[in-house]
Amino acid sequence: MTTLFDRLAQIIRENGPLTVADYMRHCLLDPEFGYYSTRDPFGAKGDFTTAPEISQMFGELIGLALAQAWLDQGAPSPFALVELGPGRGTLLADLLRATKGVPGFHDAAQLHMIEASPTLRDFQIRTIPHKILHHDTLASVPDLPVFLIANEFFDALPIRQFVRDGAGWRERVVGFVDGALAFGLADVSHPPGLEDRLSDTKDGDLVEISPAYAAIARDIDARLTQKGGIAYIIDYGDWRSLGDTFQALHAHKPDPPLDRPGSADLTAHVDFEAIAKAVQTATTSRLTPQGVFLERLGITNRAQALAQNLEGSALDQHVAAHRRLTHPDEMGTLFKVMALYPKDGPLPPGVTA
């Protein structure tokens, strides 16, 4: 029986080692064996849990922040409400419930979801009681003001890894050693985009880049500049890439990234500086820790209000969810938020200029 391992072995035999980016693409999106193509990865039975699955408060607060930004920009109608990588659709469902009392917001919103997985598209259709339109990429979303959320989307985009070698770089690749997948290094090269990293790295340092970041950021930038709107990018990572963050998760535990091709989630920390550099005309906010962002939006008040109707184990789980989303030792510091918005436009809620 053919597996993704067999398919990768054939590709490597015929074409040589894969870049880490190509390995990620095959593992995550292969139509027959890819991780996202074939399963629901979320929740207790999956491999990881995202913020919207932890508590309804996350999606509710994001929704109210988007609605306030929409009002601040004059309540344009119609507008595209877009989510990149919406998972099961939980965030958007909570967002829509929280904003149903905002006059005109639902009537003006067209719901667009950027989703490559047929399995997850089915989940989204069942989860969201509104008409939604699916797209493979942002490019096919109508040319409207765009109010966009990308929560744990950029971390799954394919990355390339380069190890500093003198004044050049050696790309990390995936090949075969003794019948098993293994990392190796290509010959020294001088890839475009890494010239400025010679000043802050030394021999042996590893830097990760993702060409996909720039293409998506430029598309968002152009839409915000031409039509208005905002974008919230929420993910784990930091301002600048340095070090090996390529990782796999299987059954909620770290897993060697070459051990289970197609059966484990593959991600890397997001380089927010690379996203910001790709934005040419819109404004990017400062990077804000997720815990600070949610506190600014009022998560503690919302948590206290919900707690009044809870007791016992339900209350314990609610308190734990609040802590997980906001505490520095949980998701509060590792996860960051950056907003994109039109030049000279109003600052979106929760972030600073």
Side-chain angles (χ1 to χ4, degrees):
M1 179 178 176
T2 301
T3 65
L4 183 57
F5 180 90
D6 298 326
R7 185 165 292 173
L8 292 173
Q10 181 178 356
I11 292 170
I12 292 170
R13 281 196 301 268
E14 293 176 353
N15 302 300
L18 298 167
T19 66
V20 172
D22 286 336
Y23 175 75
M24 287 184 72
R25 287 190 194 93
H26 286 294
C27 289
L28 296 178
L29 297 175
D30 181 274
E32 188 175 0
F33 301 113
Y35 181 77
Y36 288 123
S37 305
T38 58
R39 72 196 68 216
D40 168 23
F42 299 96
K45 295 181 180 179
D47 295 313
F48 59 88
T49 303
T50 60
E53 305 287 338
I54 293 170
S55 171
Q56 69 186 67
M57 296 184 291
F58 186 82
E60 290 172 347
L61 292 171
I62 298 297
L64 293 173
L66 280 179
Q68 184 61 58
W70 175 74
L71 291 170
D72 291 344
Q73 292 193 27
S77 180
F79 73 92
L81 179 54
V82 179
E83 186 173 2
L84 307 184
R88 289 173 168 172
T90 305
L91 189 157
L92 191 56
D94 291 338
L95 180 161
L96 291 169
R97 185 183 63 255
T99 55
K100 63 184 178 182
V102 179
F105 186 76
H106 283 201
D107 290 337
Q110 296 182 5
L111 308 184
H112 299 275
M113 309 187 86
I114 313 304
E115 180 58 69
S117 166
T119 300
L120 293 177
R121 285 189 179 194
D122 289 341
F123 260 105
Q124 293 152 17
I125 291 169
R126 295 197 298 269
T127 300
I128 299 164
H130 298 266
K131 179 184 178 181
I132 57 176
L133 297 172
H134 280 111
H135 306 263
D136 292 328
T137 69
L138 187 58
S140 59
V141 172
D143 190 18
L144 297 170
V146 61
F147 290 78
L148 179 148
I149 315 109
N151 179 61
E152 293 197 53
F153 172 78
F154 280 85
D155 66 81
L157 295 179
I159 59 158
R160 297 174 69 183
Q161 294 186 313
F162 292 89
V163 176
R164 171 82 180 269
D165 188 334
W169 302 87
R170 301 181 70 189
E171 183 161 13
R172 201 179 190 201
V173 295
V174 178
F176 269 96
V177 175
D178 297 328
L181 290 168
F183 288 115
L185 292 173
D187 293 337
V188 174
S189 63
H190 300 274
L194 285 179
E195 299 91 346
D196 63 339
R197 297 307 306 271
L198 295 175
S199 62
D200 72 324
T201 56
K202 61 183 184 303
D203 274 7
D205 280 349
L206 188 148
V207 171
E208 296 169 339
I209 64 173
S210 176
Y213 285 7
I216 296 168
R218 283 194 294 265
D219 194 340
I220 297 172
D221 179 26
R223 290 170 183 271
L224 296 180
T225 300
Q226 293 166 12
K227 297 290 185 176
I230 70 162
Y232 280 124
I233 298 171
I234 308 167
D235 227 312
Y236 55 91
D238 218 323
W239 182 246
R240 177 175 290 182
S241 164
L242 184 61
D244 180 11
T245 71
F246 183 42
Q247 58 192 300
L249 274 179
H250 180 74
H252 296 268
K253 295 180 180 179
D255 206 50
L258 303 186
D259 278 12
R260 302 175 193 266
S263 297
D265 185 38
L266 299 177
T267 66
H269 286 204
V270 173
D271 180 347
F272 282 91
E273 182 186 41
I275 298 172
K277 280 186 171 181
V279 176
Q280 299 296 312
T281 51
T283 301
T284 59
S285 75
R286 293 192 181 192
L287 206 56
T288 302
Q290 177 177 288
V292 174
F293 173 73
L294 293 175
E295 291 294 353
R296 288 173 178 166
L297 296 184
I299 191 171
T300 295
N301 289 339
R302 179 58 175 151
Q304 291 169 345
L306 290 173
Q308 293 178 3
N309 299 316
L310 300 173
E311 59 184 17
S313 62
L315 179 58
D316 292 341
Q317 291 171 10
H318 175 62
V319 171
H322 175 267
R323 174 184 169 84
R324 187 170 178 188
L325 290 173
T326 62
H327 196 277
D329 292 339
E330 301 277 353
M331 300 172 71
T333 298
L334 175 62
F335 282 72
K336 310 292 194 306
V337 183
M338 185 167 69
L340 281 57
Y341 56 103
K343 186 178 180 180
D344 300 324
L347 181 70
V351 295
T352 56

